Amino acid sequence: MERLVGTVSRGLRAPIIREGDNLEQIVVDTVLKAAAAGEFTVNDRDIVAVTESVVARSQSNYANTQQLAEDVKNKLGGETVGVIFPILSRNRFAICLRGIAKGAKKIVLMLSYPSDEVGNHLLSFDLLDEKGVDPYKDVLTQEQFESMFGKSKHTFTGVDYVNYYKNLIEEEGAEAEVIFANNPRAILNYTKVILTCDIHTRQRTKRLLKHAGAEVVLGLDDLLTTSVNGSGYNTQYGILGSNKATEDTIKLFPNDCTDFVKAIQNKLFVATGKHVEVMVYGDGAFKDPVGKIWELADPVVSPGYTDGLVGTPNEVKLKYLADNDFADLSGDELKEAISEYIRHKDADLGDSMVAQGTTPRRLTDLIGSLCDLTSGSGDKGTPIIYIQGYFDNYTK
């Protein structure tokens, strides 16, 4: 019988993962139990994906705000610090800001506008146009900003992040000053010691500031890169990708996951004889069309994956073939012609017309986005995703 189903993504329910748990074995056991229950049969090139959250939790990769404050004070001097380009997030950044504020006497908080790096808006471009403000040139104080635009409210949550962040800094005993600018060099009029909090543009921001005369320039990826007073740490990303764990604790992005994914791959091969690909995933890389929020607040979609997930798709566009090469065919004749074309397609289609529009992104970014959408971020209880048929095509 002809196969009628292509790619399938399943969320697998697992136990609640705690610090120190043997997550490798939990993942393997969960997959094997689901297969034994008849949910699916394990095949070569299936994909097992595990959310970064439970990986970091099993690694006990946590730090409290006091440990973060010690690192900030040691690396940035403990006086006036310019904190620039943070994202607007209670989960992602607010808890980090508490630790940063504890490690300084004054924070000059510079917010990008009209939105942060990942699309959380303080106001609209239309309102900027109406007021004649040029966000690429104009530097605004909080008083100027609020006199023109009023108090900002997040599209979905209604939070006034400007005053929320300012009050948070003051609660930790530091003086707070808020300005709005998109040129990183604007902060140098206030302080020469800067912590840049952007994620994907951080290297450029650091370079611009250093060339403009900043004395100390660090990013979130430079904090907690080693343990401070027993804290967790991340050697590559620091506190980038961290999340709020408690009111005083952050969970950091997991450390190197290569051994973790390879161990799961090997254990599943021993148990099933099948070569399964494995990856760890965080945020997906997609944008919300209503709130304009780009989801990717982690430094990467996947911090670890097996070798079979390296690369990009090499696919042809079926509708292009149907409308061009085989426009005179239909029915079974068309199906066979397209199938034969796929069977003999080039190993690297490159920029050929037949491949245009086939999403030339890294496999880990595409699959990680699928996983993030499947597992969600709430109470589904499925931190493990099992994907089948992702590498199939029309001929399989």
Side-chain angles (χ1 to χ4, degrees):
M1 183 177 179
E2 182 180 9
R3 178 177 161 188
L4 299 177
V5 177
T7 300
V8 177
S9 178
R10 296 177 175 88
L12 303 188
R13 290 183 175 172
I16 303 299
I17 308 302
R18 307 306 296 264
E19 294 184 55
D21 282 351
N22 185 345
L23 186 58
E24 291 174 11
Q25 195 59 51
I26 290 172
V27 171
V28 171
D29 290 345
T30 299
V31 170
L32 295 178
K33 287 177 182 177
E39 298 292 342
F40 52 82
T41 300
V42 177
N43 298 314
D44 288 324
R45 299 222 77 189
D46 287 354
I47 303 167
V48 175
V50 186
T51 180
E52 60 84 18
S53 176
V54 298
V55 179
R57 195 179 306 153
S58 69
Q59 291 178 347
S60 301
N61 206 15
Y62 292 85
N64 61 47
T65 56
Q66 189 57 49
Q67 291 165 328
L68 176 56
E70 286 297 317
D71 208 29
V72 169
K73 188 174 182 180
N74 290 336
K75 291 177 178 176
L76 291 162
E79 298 295 327
T80 299
V81 178
V83 175
I84 73 172
F85 300 158
I87 64 171
L88 307 176
S89 172
R90 291 170 293 177
N91 174 47
R92 288 289 192 170
F93 186 71
I95 188 69
C96 295
L97 184 57
R98 285 195 181 277
I100 295 164
K102 282 182 179 180
K105 291 182 179 179
K106 179 178 179 179
I107 298 293
V108 181
L109 181 67
M110 191 172 90
L111 302 175
S112 55
Y113 73 103
S115 73
D116 68 10
E117 180 186 7
V118 297
N120 293 292
H121 277 71
L122 293 169
L123 69 160
S124 68
F125 271 105
D126 291 336
L127 192 53
L128 287 178
D129 294 340
E130 179 185 321
K131 299 295 184 179
V133 174
D134 185 346
Y136 303 105
K137 295 180 180 178
D138 294 339
V139 179
L140 306 175
T141 65
Q142 183 177 2
E143 182 180 5
Q144 290 171 325
F145 183 91
E146 293 183 346
S147 67
M148 283 190 286
F149 308 120
K151 304 287 187 182
S152 66
K153 287 189 176 181
H154 189 274
T155 303
F156 290 137
T157 64
V159 174
D160 173 5
Y161 274 100
V162 177
N163 287 288
Y164 175 62
Y165 279 179
K166 182 179 181 180
N167 294 338
L168 187 153
I169 293 167
E170 292 173 341
E171 286 173 8
E172 298 303 331
E175 182 184 349
E177 181 176 0
V178 182
I179 61 172
F180 301 81
N182 291 305
N183 184 341
R185 288 167 286 222
I187 193 66
L188 296 175
N189 293 322
Y190 299 83
T191 178
K192 298 292 193 296
V193 178
I194 299 107
L195 177 67
T196 180
C197 303
D198 43 345
I199 305 163
H200 308 292
T201 57
R202 63 188 184 276
Q203 299 303 338
R204 176 177 183 267
T205 301
K206 290 179 184 180
R207 173 173 53 81
L208 291 175
L209 287 167
K210 289 174 182 177
H211 287 174
E215 295 173 2
V216 180
V217 181
L218 297 180
L220 296 181
D221 54 330
D222 298 307
L223 298 177
L224 294 184
T225 53
T226 58
S227 180
V228 176
N229 298 330
S231 73
Y233 59 93
N234 189 292
T235 56
Q236 185 173 6
Y237 298 117
I239 61 172
L240 279 178
S242 60
N243 296 84
K244 179 180 179 179
T246 70
E247 294 303 321
D248 189 52
T249 310
I250 59 172
K251 177 198 63 62
L252 283 74
F253 211 48
N255 275 297
D256 181 33
C257 299
T258 303
D259 290 344
F260 173 75
V261 296
K262 287 185 176 180
I264 292 172
Q265 184 181 58
N266 290 336
K267 288 180 179 180
L268 285 173
F269 182 79
V270 170
T272 67
K274 303 296 181 180
H275 188 85
V276 174
E277 303 298 342
V278 184
M279 67 179 287
V280 175
Y281 69 95
D283 279 343
F286 48 84
K287 184 174 181 178
D288 175 75
V290 176
K292 313 301 182 187
I293 299 169
W294 183 38
E295 176 69 12
L296 188 55
D298 286 326
V300 290
V301 173
S302 176
Y305 44 88
T306 50
D307 293 342
L309 298 177
V310 174
T312 59
N314 188 56
E315 301 173 346
V316 299
K317 200 77 169 178
L318 294 187
K319 65 181 181 181
Y320 182 87
L321 292 174
D323 291 343
N324 290 273
D325 296 53
F326 308 117
D328 58 331
L329 303 179
S330 61
D332 289 342
E333 193 176 8
L334 174 61
K335 178 181 177 181
E336 181 53 35
I338 289 179
S339 297
E340 189 66 12
Y341 188 101
I342 293 171
R343 291 188 192 101
H344 297 94
K345 67 184 177 182
D346 292 339
D348 183 5
L349 293 166
D351 61 354
S352 62
M353 284 298 298
V354 74
Q356 289 189 18
T358 56
T359 317
R361 292 162 56 190
R362 293 184 302 181
L363 288 168
T364 51
D365 293 341
L366 292 164
I367 297 166
S369 298
L370 173 61
C371 293
D372 191 22
L373 289 167
T374 302
S375 62
S377 57
D379 57 8
K380 288 184 172 60
T382 54
I384 303 166
I385 306 299
Y386 198 85
I387 300 172
Q388 293 188 293
Y390 192 84
F391 294 105
D392 287 359
N393 60 43
Y394 189 61
T395 68
K396 300 302 174 71

